[in-house]
Amino acid sequence: MGKKFVIALGGNAIQKAEQVGNIQEQFANSIEACREIAKIVADGHVVALTHGNGPQVGNLLRRVELSQHEIYPLPLDTCVSDTQGGMGYMLQQVMRNVLEKQNLDADVVTVITRCIVDASDPAFKKPTKPIGSFMTPEMAAERAEKFGWVVIEDSGRGWRRVVPSPWPKEIIERRAIKTLMDSGTLVVACGGGGIPVMRNAATGYLVGVEAVIDKDIASALLALEVKADLFVILTGVEQVKVNFRKPDEKSLSTLTVSDAKKYLAEGQFPPGSMGPKIQAAVHCIESGGPDVIITSTDKIHDALNGRTGTRVVKG
């Protein structure tokens, strides 16, 4: 068996900004992405594939809002689990078809994945992650009163609900995922960052939490827990850039952890885009994990062979 990779699939690979984002488009986009992943399988390597679910959870929450006068509502953790299952089915189906087309015999399995978060995480005191549809000020005030939501005005586009985005502490299904990978199975896991759960103080039982976990941070934790040889973060750009969209813009082929932390402190990597990816890379390496490659989906094979991409390394 070859090397063990954890690959975090960017949301833009499944639902592109210029598209409606319907299920037919998502399947078509997934085929493109899975063809690139299949090249890695063809080289003899084993993959755990993670993915975002922001648009999909947003759509599901919208359906909950529109139907709540007729059927029971769903809490956020259940919405995350529903999209994990639905998107896992899509990627599992497409990946298997692509592998068979290339005469590659590899099992593909989706693992519904939970991540333990800490009740004392500062994120619970300051929710920042926008989810769901935009609302008028009146609607936002009404739902804040009725459901206890925290709402904010979002960049002049309307009001939205915001929820905590705590740091994942442990992936509950880590041993099952590692066992599957060790057997050569391609695993789809940690969809949407994993379902956030915590232990009930009174009973000790695990309970779901109204929160979302960053997909790249959860993927870094997965890379550590399955002892991956490489952690790959796929995004919309071929290489990480500093001074992005400025006259002195510069692409980085190599980025040390110390430089990454410096650039983060300077604000080079915004929280809503490249920031979490760089944070995930730094956390992975500083925790004893492997190097990290950041690149676009269509360039992953070239990046793995050193022809492009940004490799984040110790130093």
Side-chain angles (χ1 to χ4, degrees), residues 239-314:
Q239 290 183 306
V240 175
K241 301 175 187 291
V242 291
N243 302 320
F244 186 54
R245 292 180 176 171
K246 295 179 180 178
D248 56 345
E249 177 182 283
K250 179 183 177 182
S251 297
L252 304 175
S253 57
T254 303
L255 178 62
T256 64
V257 166
S258 58
D259 281 345
K261 293 166 82 169
K262 181 187 75 171
Y263 289 138
L264 278 168
E266 292 174 357
Q268 287 277 2
F269 306 128
S273 56
M274 189 59 71
K277 302 178 194 313
I278 300 298
Q279 287 180 313
V282 168
H283 175 69
C284 180
I285 294 170
E286 287 193 325
S287 301
D291 286 356
V292 181
I293 289 178
I294 302 176
T295 192
S296 56
T297 305
D298 61 324
K299 296 294 183 179
I300 182 173
H301 207 251
D302 286 339
L304 292 177
N305 287 283
R307 294 189 289 269
T308 189
T310 298
R311 184 177 285 261
V312 188
V313 299
K314 294 178 182 178

Side-chain angles (χ1 to χ4, degrees), residues 21 32 42 47 51 99 165 177 184 191 205 214 219 243 246-247 267 282-283 287:
E32 292 181 24
V47 173
H51 61 86
L99 292 172
S165 185
I177 295 168
Y205 292 141
D214 181 83
S219 301
N243 302 320
K246 295 179 180 178
V282 168
H283 175 69
S287 301

Side-chain angles (χ1 to χ4, degrees), residues 57 61 74-81 131 161 163 196 209-212:
V57 162
L61 287 168
L74 299 174
L76 182 54
D77 56 298
T78 300
C79 291
V80 173
S81 71
I131 62 167
R161 179 189 179 190
V163 298
V209 183
E210 290 271 326
V212 293

Side-chain angles (χ1 to χ4, degrees), residues 6 9-10 14 22 36 39 53 64 90 95-96 119 122 128 152-153 180 205-206 218 259 264 267:
V6 169
L9 193 62
I14 297 176
N22 60 37
E36 298 301 320
K39 295 176 184 178
N53 68 346
V64 170
M90 177 175 67
M95 192 76 240
R96 182 65 186 184
T128 57
I152 63 165
E153 199 280 324
L180 286 165
Y205 292 141
L206 291 169
D259 281 345
L264 278 168

